[in-house]
Amino acid sequence: MSEKWTGGRSIAEHGLSKKKFTLVVGDKEYPRRVAVLVMGAVVLVMGGFFAGVLGLIYWGKQEDTRSAGEDAGLAELAREHGWSHEPSRSGVVDRLEGVEPFPDVSTGLQVSDYTHGRYKGREFRYFEYEDESTGTRVNGREQSEYFAVFAVSTPGEVPRTVIREDGFLDSVFGGGEIVGTGNAGFDADNNVIAEDPAAAKRLASPGLTRHLAREPALKDRPLRFENGEVLTWQEERLRPQDVLRKLDYLSRVVDHAPARAWQ
């Protein structure tokens, strides 16, 4: 039987044998069912890869933008609760400088959607901070990191104390001394970084550390006690649907902190 030719090349040269629907790889010949399985697997892998890339691009874009409804919703939420809402305010970050995500030194930086009022008997405030120093160019435009920041008042003041998930080189660049709480399980995963270790030990009581261990949120919602408030932040846009949940989180933290921490 003569060998068929396609475009000046033999069937064997195209990787197919003269037997119908077989695949030749090197010196081995595989039946059609193997070829179908191999090609199907390749298609699935490549399809999953491109779907993942497109998904990352899409969700990254979603996290970096807010809809017109969300913008209006922040103002509407404040009106519903009788809170004060300002589209922007300057100088807010100045008192928060020195601890990530805020700059080491700040003068008059603006925040957006600055809102304050009372919630569950406590003063609070929240706003969106745009860190322009981390901006990168994506698709020809500058992109910054955004942080949704929330703070609830505490019964008294303590020197700056940060409680967060264990971070790389916290002992060197954390901005204070790492304090052990006596809760081995908690200390294994989290750090208490304090300007005043004695005050931090009073604050990080068994009641508070047990509560935080039951509500494992420090990875995404670290805590900072300072200037008569406890503050949390998350790398995301400020959205109306998140506000009450974050204020509840901080309120529970204050409820579980010992009274002696504020002396």
Side-chain angles (χ1 to χ4, degrees), residues 1-14 16 18:
M1 181 184 295
S2 62
E3 191 175 59
K4 292 185 179 180
W5 290 75
T6 57
R9 297 176 65 191
S10 70
I11 294 176
E13 288 176 317
H14 279 281
L16 298 176
K18 290 182 288 184

Side-chain angles (χ1 to χ4, degrees), residues 3-237:
E3 191 175 59
K4 292 185 179 180
W5 290 75
T6 57
R9 297 176 65 191
S10 70
I11 294 176
E13 288 176 317
H14 279 281
L16 298 176
S17 76
K18 290 182 288 184
K19 293 182 180 181
K20 194 174 182 180
F21 301 121
T22 60
L23 175 68
V24 176
V25 179
D27 296 330
K28 295 184 179 181
E29 184 175 288
Y30 298 91
R32 180 180 63 172
R33 64 179 179 273
V34 174
V36 170
L37 289 174
V38 171
M39 293 306 297
V42 170
V43 170
L44 286 174
V45 170
M46 294 303 295
F49 172 78
F50 285 113
V53 171
L54 291 174
L56 287 174
I57 294 173
Y58 173 79
W59 288 112
K61 183 176 180 181
Q62 294 299 305
E63 291 176 358
D64 194 45
T65 60
R66 282 195 325 213
S67 67
E70 288 175 322
D71 289 338
L74 288 167
E76 178 61 27
L77 180 66
R79 284 194 296 270
E80 289 177 356
H81 291 271
W83 302 335
S84 174
H85 172 267
E86 302 173 46
S88 65
R89 175 183 277 202
S90 62
V92 175
V93 176
D94 298 350
R95 295 188 66 194
L96 300 173
E97 63 187 21
V99 175
E100 293 182 354
F102 307 105
D104 291 334
V105 178
S106 168
T107 303
L109 288 180
Q110 284 197 334
V111 300
S112 59
D113 292 296
Y114 184 85
T115 305
H116 64 92
R118 292 186 66 84
Y119 182 73
K120 293 187 175 180
R122 297 187 177 97
E123 298 289 331
F124 76 87
R125 60 180 179 150
Y126 60 82
F127 55 87
E128 181 178 277
Y129 164 61
E130 179 182 1
D131 186 359
E132 297 178 349
S133 66
T134 59
T136 56
R137 295 194 66 82
V138 178
N139 296 327
R141 68 185 184 91
E142 194 78 14
Q143 284 190 330
S144 302
E145 291 182 350
Y146 293 90
F147 294 88
V149 183
F150 300 82
V152 166
S153 65
T154 56
E157 294 192 22
V158 294
R160 179 189 295 169
T161 303
V162 176
I163 305 178
R164 68 185 184 199
E165 184 186 40
D166 184 18
F168 182 62
L169 292 180
D170 271 352
S171 60
V172 179
F173 302 111
E177 180 179 334
I178 295 179
V179 176
T181 68
N183 183 332
F186 182 85
D187 291 344
D189 298 323
N190 306 286
N191 282 335
V192 177
I193 307 169
E195 288 184 337
D196 184 333
K201 287 182 179 180
R202 289 194 298 270
L203 173 65
S205 65
L208 180 58
T209 56
R210 282 197 299 266
H211 168 70
L212 294 175
R214 289 194 302 269
E215 185 174 346
L218 290 177
K219 178 179 180 180
D220 297 320
R221 290 174 286 179
L223 298 170
R224 173 179 173 179
F225 295 82
E226 190 176 8
N227 299 323
E229 64 182 6
V230 56
L231 178 146
T232 190
W233 62 93
Q234 192 166 353
E235 187 177 345
E236 61 182 12
R237 298 299 302 266

